[in-house]
């Protein structure tokens, strides 16, 4: 049941900002351009709660498409404060999850010949085998089929509508390669990750009744981080909203478009803002960062924007730290000097982040921090817990419950159960199914309290007592069960990788753990202090970034994302005499605020 008091309070709070209030009450197609720290998540969730309360009559609801599962989890948590759970009337998830659970699974079986009735999502090994088989049949030129497939993937993600001449007209060999690859999967009753939005687009485009069925269920569609979601989502929006009659509220920022390698294109968001039937609202106030950091961020971006701090906000601090040496020396300096200095000046460890371009740089910082006895948590591809995986985050949350969270319902058991049901069933579960799964989860959690298990032992027991039985009844066709096995390998005591369960859970006696993250993984997050590592002349931008204007612009946007993460202090660490050219621009702009 919704909480009208909480909604009224949120609306009153947003009413202090005219642009936010306008977005919440807009009833036509709308794009909200939201810069860093502009309160876009608060605006989005309040707009969703208001639409459910005032515009959409039960049992109809709203859908919200997000960039990744971590974003979906945050939105669900915020909506829960309004008394809104992600069941029945709401869908919150990625474009792939929306395509699979709201379009393909319910409707594909009604279209003869589209998919095998018992289809499932292919494993990575099955996808590789299909690539190799397709390459041999279509091209067979002696080249590495997977190297060739990299170019095919780009075409597959961009040319969504295959009825257009561009599908065969632009590199027909790649088109035939893709079609044969998909045929290899279908022979085995499989689809892959990129199939999901492509098949959903085909269903919505070719079957008008599917479009109408989706509108009957979700008359309003919200999209978060629109600039990151690519061509398939854009084409789905054009069909569902501008041809199918669903109302659209899209939130995004072209300046933070940093996923070109996955098919994202900032021009897609800009195209929406140019439509005459779409209202564009720009959120101008940055509630996160100090004034000096806001000004410096425009130097990082290299373009002027009408962003401003709120009245009374502090200046913020920028530090330009020169180190006599390359990456190893810079990592040691961060561990021995920069982090201790920040902690000594009152920054809590969990509000400090070190950001870098690639996971191998994270390895260097991790080694230096280990040597200095500084606790940390990683969120890059070498992390123990993959933040993009719902199952990985559930496992971490369960470990937090077992290691003390049960005292104060942090996390709440209801949240753990809701997440488990979503992972296993991918949608509503029957009462007997929920009762059985809940009994399994409760038994496992209670058995872990004060048991004295290491992370490795606890994960092994979880794999046996939860993952194994859940796999036998799972209806969620998007498989991610190997996440637990990967965690077990990454905590192997024979390789001296095991740890105490409270360390795995992040419950330490110290003041907390600082965060190590790639710039990509840090997007959407904020910290009191941010240390940008390796801001060197040859790294930002790299030689690859300099190849063309498009990649150079994306590299600059990535730099901008890093610069806009801190609330209070930004530390740029680089090799003495070899700093990034963008550092100079950033410094000049930061001085303008003085």
């Amino acid at each position: 049941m919704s909480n009208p008091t909480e909604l009224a309070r949120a609306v009153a709070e947003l009413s202090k900002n005219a642009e936010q209030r306008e977005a919440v009450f807009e009833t036509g197609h709308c794009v909200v351009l939201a810069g860093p720290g502009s309160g876009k998540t608060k605006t989005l969730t309040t707009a969703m709660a208001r639409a459910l309360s005032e515009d959409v009559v039960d049992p109809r609801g709203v859908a919200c498409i997000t960039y990744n599962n971590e974003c979906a989890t945050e939105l669900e948590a915020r909506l829960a404060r309004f008394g809104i759970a992600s069941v029945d009337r709401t869908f919150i998830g990625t474009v792939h999850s929306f395509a699979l659970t709201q379009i393909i699974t319910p409707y594909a079986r009604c279209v003869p010949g589209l998919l095998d009735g018992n289809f499932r999502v292919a494993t990575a090994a099955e996808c590789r085998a299909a690539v190799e088989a397709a390459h041999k049949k279509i091209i067979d030129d002696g080249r590495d089929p997977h190297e060739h497939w990299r170019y095919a993937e780009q075409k597959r993600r961009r040319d969504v509508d295959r009825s257009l001449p561009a599908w065969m007209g632009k590199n027909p060999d790649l088109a035939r390669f893709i079609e044969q690859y998909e045929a290899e999967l279908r022979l085995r009753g499989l689809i892959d990750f990129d199939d999901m939005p492509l098949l959903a687009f085909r269903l919505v485009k070719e079957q008008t009744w599917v479009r109408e069925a989706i509108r009957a269920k979700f008359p309003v569609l919200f999209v978060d981080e629109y600039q990151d979601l690519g061509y398939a989502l854009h084409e789905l929006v054009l069909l569902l909203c501008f041809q199918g009659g669903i109302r659209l509220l899209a939130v995004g920022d072209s300046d933070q478009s940093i996923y070109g390698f996955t098919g994202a294109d900032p021009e897609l968001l800009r195209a929406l803002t140019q439509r005459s039937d779409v209202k564009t609202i720009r959120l101008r106030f940055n509630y996160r960062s100090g004034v000096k950091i806001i000004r410096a961020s425009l130097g990082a971006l290299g373009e002027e924007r009408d962003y401003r701090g709120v009245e009374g906000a502090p200046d913020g601090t920028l530090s330009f730290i020169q180190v006599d040496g390359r990456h190893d020396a810079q990592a040691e300096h961060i561990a021995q000097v920069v982090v201790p200095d920040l902690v000594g000046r009152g920054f809590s460890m969990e509000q400090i982040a070190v950001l870098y371009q690639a996971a191998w740089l994270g390895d260097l910082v991790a080694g230096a921090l280990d040597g200095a006895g500084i606790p940390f948590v990683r969120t890059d591809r070498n992390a123990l817990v993959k933040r993009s995986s719902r199952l990985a985050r559930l496992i971490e949350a369960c470990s937090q419950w077992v290691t003390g969270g049960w005292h104060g319902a942090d996390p709440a058991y209801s949240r753990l159960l809701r997440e488990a049901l979503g992972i296993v069933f991918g949608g509503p579960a029957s009462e007997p199914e929920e009762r059985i799964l809940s009994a399994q989860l409760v038994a496992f959690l209670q058995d872990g309290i004060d048991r004295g298990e290491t992370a490795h032992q606890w994960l092994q027991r979880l794999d046996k007592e939860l993952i194994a039985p859940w796999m036998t009844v799972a209806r969620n066709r998007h498989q991610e069960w190997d996440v637990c096995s990967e965690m077990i390998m990454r905590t192997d005591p024979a390789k001296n990788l095991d740890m105490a369960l409270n360390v795995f859970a992040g419950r330490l006696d110290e003041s907390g753990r600082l965060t190590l993250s790639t710039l990509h993984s840090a997007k959407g997050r904020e910290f009191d202090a941010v240390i940008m590592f390796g801001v060197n002349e040859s790294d930002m931008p790299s030689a690859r970034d300099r190849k063309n204007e498009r990649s150079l612009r994306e590299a600059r946007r990535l730099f901008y994302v890093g610069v806009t993460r801190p609330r209070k202090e930004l530390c740029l660490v680089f090799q003495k005499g070899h700093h990034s050219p963008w550092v100079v621009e950033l410094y000049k702009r930061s001085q303008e605020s003085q």
Side-chain angles (χ1 to χ4, degrees):
M1 182 177 293
S2 63
N3 185 338
T5 302
E6 183 64 21
L7 176 58
R9 186 201 61 77
V11 168
E13 187 174 310
L14 288 182
S15 293
K16 301 171 187 175
N17 182 310
E19 290 89 357
Q20 288 180 329
R21 189 181 193 284
E22 184 181 10
V24 166
F25 283 91
E26 177 57 43
T27 57
H29 296 314
C30 180
V31 170
V32 180
L33 299 178
S38 60
K40 63 101 175 171
T41 304
K42 182 186 295 185
T43 303
L44 176 63
T45 50
T46 305
M48 290 177 65
R50 192 207 64 79
L52 283 166
S53 174
E54 300 176 7
D55 298 344
V56 180
V57 178
D58 195 357
R60 304 177 83 192
V62 303
C64 181
I65 294 175
T66 68
Y67 176 69
N68 59 31
N69 287 317
E70 191 170 6
C71 294
T73 299
E74 181 184 359
L75 291 175
E76 288 175 352
R78 294 207 185 195
L79 282 171
R81 298 170 194 166
F82 294 108
I84 298 168
S86 183
V87 293
D88 300 331
R89 295 186 65 202
T90 62
F91 167 87
I92 303 174
T94 65
V95 62
H96 297 87
S97 177
F98 180 78
L100 182 63
T101 65
Q102 305 301 316
I103 303 177
I104 297 172
T105 298
Y107 304 124
R109 70 188 67 183
C110 302
V111 180
L114 183 63
L115 281 178
D116 183 279
N118 295 313
F119 77 90
R120 64 174 175 83
V121 179
T123 65
E126 288 168 331
C127 290
R128 289 180 64 85
V131 165
E132 291 162 7
H135 189 270
K136 185 172 182 62
K137 291 178 181 178
I138 301 300
I139 300 175
D140 199 21
D141 59 357
R143 292 174 55 191
D144 179 358
H146 302 289
E147 182 68 24
H148 207 158
W149 182 246
R150 287 176 52 202
Y151 299 99
E153 277 186 312
Q154 294 175 17
K155 178 178 178 63
R156 190 180 181 212
R157 290 169 180 163
R158 186 179 183 95
D159 294 342
V160 178
D161 190 346
R162 298 182 184 178
S163 67
L164 299 177
W167 175 247
M168 277 295 180
K170 293 182 178 179
N171 204 327
D173 284 344
L174 278 186
R176 285 190 284 269
F177 184 17
I178 293 165
E179 290 174 352
Q180 185 60 43
Y181 163 78
E182 292 170 346
E184 296 291 335
L185 291 181
R186 300 300 180 269
L187 284 172
R188 297 161 178 80
L190 302 172
I191 65 172
D192 74 357
F193 197 63
D194 284 337
D195 265 321
M196 296 176 193
L198 295 174
L199 288 167
F201 170 80
R202 179 177 166 185
L203 273 168
V204 170
K205 184 176 189 293
E206 297 176 0
Q207 310 294 330
T208 306
W209 62 271
V210 172
R211 207 178 304 170
E212 293 171 349
I214 296 168
R215 180 169 60 89
K217 186 175 183 180
F218 301 124
V220 186
L221 174 64
F222 296 86
V223 183
D224 188 23
E225 303 287 8
Y226 195 97
Q227 76 283 348
D228 293 334
L229 291 165
Y231 287 87
L233 179 278
H234 184 67
E235 294 295 337
L236 271 175
V237 164
L238 296 181
L239 286 172
L240 291 173
C241 299
F242 299 107
Q243 294 185 39
I246 294 175
R247 188 174 101 209
L248 172 69
L249 190 148
V251 180
D253 181 9
S254 295
D255 292 336
Q256 296 185 72
S257 179
I258 57 174
Y259 295 104
F261 58 91
T262 67
D265 186 342
E267 293 304 319
L268 301 178
L269 179 60
R270 294 192 185 106
L272 281 187
T273 66
Q274 293 167 3
R275 292 183 62 104
S276 60
D277 52 354
V278 173
K279 175 180 283 189
T280 299
I281 299 170
R282 181 181 291 276
L283 304 184
R284 297 170 296 153
F285 288 96
N286 183 327
Y287 293 93
R288 175 190 301 155
S289 302
V291 175
K292 184 180 289 188
I293 295 174
I294 295 171
R295 295 300 304 168
S297 72
L298 299 181
L301 184 64
E303 297 181 23
E304 194 61 44
R305 294 289 183 269
D306 185 26
Y307 294 140
R308 60 194 70 175
V310 294
E311 187 175 349
D315 275 352
T317 302
L318 280 84
S319 301
F320 299 86
I321 301 170
Q322 304 181 67
V323 178
D324 192 8
R326 288 190 54 76
H327 300 107
D328 286 339
Q330 293 165 42
E332 286 295 332
H333 189 80
I334 288 170
Q336 299 293 334
V337 179
V338 182
V339 172
D341 175 65
L342 289 171
V343 173
R345 289 191 283 116
F347 287 94
S348 62
M349 197 74 80
E350 62 270 16
Q351 285 301 329
I352 301 173
V354 182
L355 309 183
Y356 38 83
Q357 286 187 298
W360 69 269
L361 291 169
D363 293 341
L364 295 179
V365 184
L369 292 173
D370 267 334
I374 297 174
F376 59 88
V377 59
R378 297 183 69 164
T379 61
D380 56 29
R381 65 179 174 83
N382 288 341
L384 179 57
V385 178
K386 298 293 193 297
R387 306 304 303 170
S388 61
S389 164
R390 289 183 68 186
L391 179 57
R393 292 200 314 278
L394 173 63
I395 292 172
E396 183 182 44
C398 286
S399 72
Q400 292 167 347
W401 192 95
V402 168
T403 55
W406 59 275
H407 281 297
D410 179 25
Y413 174 74
S414 59
R415 172 196 153 193
L416 301 181
L417 178 59
R418 184 172 66 249
E419 278 296 303
L421 290 168
I423 289 168
V424 176
F425 299 112
S430 67
E431 286 188 18
E433 288 173 332
E434 181 171 340
R435 188 166 56 250
I436 292 170
L437 187 144
S438 181
Q440 293 169 333
L441 183 58
V442 166
F444 172 76
L445 292 173
Q446 289 182 335
D447 283 350
I449 297 174
D450 297 328
R451 188 165 176 151
E453 293 173 304
T454 67
H456 186 76
Q457 292 167 335
W458 183 81
L459 287 165
Q460 286 182 313
R461 192 164 60 83
L462 183 144
D463 191 50
K464 178 181 178 181
E465 297 179 16
L466 293 185
I467 301 301
W470 288 357
M471 287 176 64
T472 64
V473 298
R475 287 198 299 275
N476 189 346
R477 300 175 189 269
H478 186 193
Q479 305 297 321
E480 55 175 8
W481 303 114
D482 58 348
V483 163
C484 187
S485 300
E486 184 179 342
M487 287 183 176
I488 291 171
M489 288 189 294
R490 285 174 175 260
T491 56
D492 186 354
K495 298 179 180 178
N496 199 29
L497 297 174
D498 203 1
M499 63 190 75
L501 187 57
N502 69 322
V503 175
F504 174 83
R507 298 193 185 280
L508 299 172
D509 293 335
E510 293 91 349
S511 59
R513 300 182 289 178
L514 64 74
T515 296
L516 301 185
S517 174
T518 61
L519 290 164
H520 283 98
S521 296
K523 186 171 176 293
R525 304 188 69 186
E526 57 185 45
F527 304 89
D528 284 346
V530 165
I531 304 163
M532 289 184 65
F533 165 45
V535 191
N536 304 313
E537 183 179 22
S538 59
D539 297 323
M540 295 186 184
S542 67
R544 177 180 294 181
D545 296 331
R546 300 171 198 260
K547 284 184 177 180
N548 56 63
E549 183 62 27
R550 183 185 180 94
S551 60
L552 186 61
R553 286 301 309 152
E554 179 157 318
R556 187 141 195 168
R557 291 195 297 267
L558 184 62
F559 183 59
Y560 172 71
V561 164
V563 168
T564 54
R565 296 310 94 197
R567 301 184 188 96
K568 299 177 181 178
E569 184 154 346
L570 173 66
C571 305
L572 299 169
V573 179
F574 48 83
Q575 184 179 9
K576 186 176 181 179
H578 296 281
H579 56 71
S580 164
W582 298 332
V583 169
V584 176
E585 297 178 56
L586 188 149
Y587 175 78
K588 289 179 179 178
R589 292 304 300 265
S590 70
Q591 298 305 297
E592 293 176 9
S593 64
Q594 292 183 328

